[in-house]
Amino acid sequence: MQEKFNDIKNRLKEELSSVASVRLLSDIKVKYVGKSGEVTSLLRGMKDIAPEMRSSFGKMVNDLKEEVSALIAVKEAELKEKELLEKYEKERVDITLPGKSEKAGNIHPLNIVKNQILDAFCGMGFEIFEGPEIDTDYYCFQALNIPKDHPARDMQDTFYFTDNILLRPHTSPGQVRTMESKQPPIKILSPGRVYRADDDASHSPMFHQIEGLVVDKGVSLCDLKGLLDEFVRIMFDSDTKTRFRPSFFPFTEPSVEVDVTCCKCHGKGCSLCKGTGWIEILGAGIVNKNVLEMSGIDSNVYSGLAFGLGIERITMIKYGISDIRTLFENNVKFLKQFNRR
Ligand code: FA5
């Protein structure tokens, strides 16, 4: 029996001396100490052993099993260590090499300014409502108190698909759609792209506006002034002043245009502000009663204020950009200047 035990140990040692991986070692483990392995099978032969010899035979087999398992465990630890070192070697990184930095894009200046404007008004309790870019004559003009053939249409001449379907020339249809869909109190902003038959250094055929509308009981020109003063205070330098000029929009009465002191010359007069010291940023006013009534709001109970600002204009003022077209040319050198990282 001892001979048989020795034979098992010798064969095992020989196999262990040439095994090269943990995976192959596990086959050897199964062969010797697995459920049907050579050593385990010896115990099964117990029934053929004389009863008085069984206890010592059992002990001998268990000792053999322990010895075999220990030999396998030592080899296993050795192979695992070897495989780990090989893996580390394969994955070795030279940490002294210069890193490859990822090229990240940055937010377009128009979006930077748009987000600042939305943040400023949302901080004052405004909600955002987006209307369609392709709209009807009714929403773009008629519901805003601009009937067919009214000369005020020339101020916002745009691109027509049919007599009735057009690219919206301003975000003011957002006022009407909001008032039709909800009753006061209303406090919304409507941002989006708008289109006009314009094209020069300060006018683009496609540009972005943000419309603001507040409708409630007792809304007055004082509220409009306070709101826009606060907006300018948030958006521009603390010494920037606002100026309200009388103006005309068919959908507001009275109507105003709002100027801010020029960011370049601070009111002294320069080429950017054409020597006036002021730059116009938006149109605004008290919502015309006809507009409220056409949208289903009782103008004897409620009044409203509205404003519409051009995002390009504010971006140009904030960054001292003299030609609106640079905002749409996608010149990477120009756009990279706005990377704030
Ligand atoms: C309007 O569009 C009115 N709907 C604004 C309004 C809303 C008035 C609510 C009263 C109540 P206006 O045509 O002035 O107004 O345009 C508003 C702003 O859009 C201008 O101050 C200017 O900043 C910008 N803007 C107008 N045309 C262009 C253009 N072609 N390119 C770039 N910006 C423009």
Side-chain angles (χ1 to χ4, degrees), residues 43-81:
L43 284 171
R44 268 194 228 115
M46 188 85 96
K47 62 181 184 324
D48 304 326
I49 305 286
E52 66 278 12
M53 298 289 287
R54 277 185 192 161
S55 140
S56 59
F57 175 76
K59 185 173 178 312
M60 280 166 70
V61 175
N62 278 334
D63 288 349
L64 174 69
K65 194 174 180 185
E66 262 173 40
E67 205 178 329
V68 164
S69 300
L71 287 170
I72 293 173
V74 168
K75 190 68 186 180
E76 191 174 9
E78 194 182 294
L79 286 175
K80 274 189 176 162
E81 170 81 7

Side-chain angles (χ1 to χ4, degrees), residues 8 19 28 87 132 278 331 336:
I8 290 177
V19 68
I28 297 176
K87 181 170 176 265
W278 297 93
N331 177 340
K336 266 190 175 167

Side-chain angles (χ1 to χ4, degrees), residues 103-156:
K103 280 191 185 141
N106 55 277
I107 302 176
H108 192 281
L110 288 175
N111 278 329
I112 295 175
V113 172
K114 173 184 154 188
N115 291 340
Q116 287 172 351
I117 298 171
L118 295 181
D119 277 356
F121 283 111
C122 289
M124 295 188 249
F126 281 75
E127 288 174 313
I128 293 175
F129 168 87
E130 287 186 59
E133 275 176 49
I134 297 174
D135 215 333
T136 60
D137 187 275
Y138 176 78
Y139 284 107
C140 293
F141 297 119
Q142 293 170 48
L144 289 163
N145 204 30
I146 314 177
K148 287 227 181 252
D149 303 321
H150 191 287
R153 288 194 177 211
D154 291 348
M155 294 186 341
Q156 288 148 358

Side-chain angles (χ1 to χ4, degrees), residues 144 155-156 169-173 175 194-213 224 247-258 280-287 305-314 316-317 324 328:
L144 289 163
M155 294 186 341
Q156 288 148 358
H170 52 178
T171 42
S172 297
Q175 290 184 33
V194 299
Y195 302 83
R196 289 194 196 172
D198 281 343
D199 192 12
D200 62 36
S202 53
H203 294 85
S204 168
M206 185 285 297
F207 61 103
H208 300 79
Q209 283 191 336
I210 297 182
E211 191 83 6
L213 174 72
L224 178 66
S247 185
F248 172 75
F249 296 103
F251 34 95
T252 46
E253 179 59 39
S255 302
V256 292
E257 273 176 325
V258 178
E280 178 212 316
I281 55 164
L282 57 86
I286 293 300
V287 182
L305 63 83
F307 56 90
L309 51 85
I311 301 180
E312 282 75 5
R313 184 66 57 85
I314 294 185
M316 290 166 79
I317 295 171
I324 196 168
F328 301 111

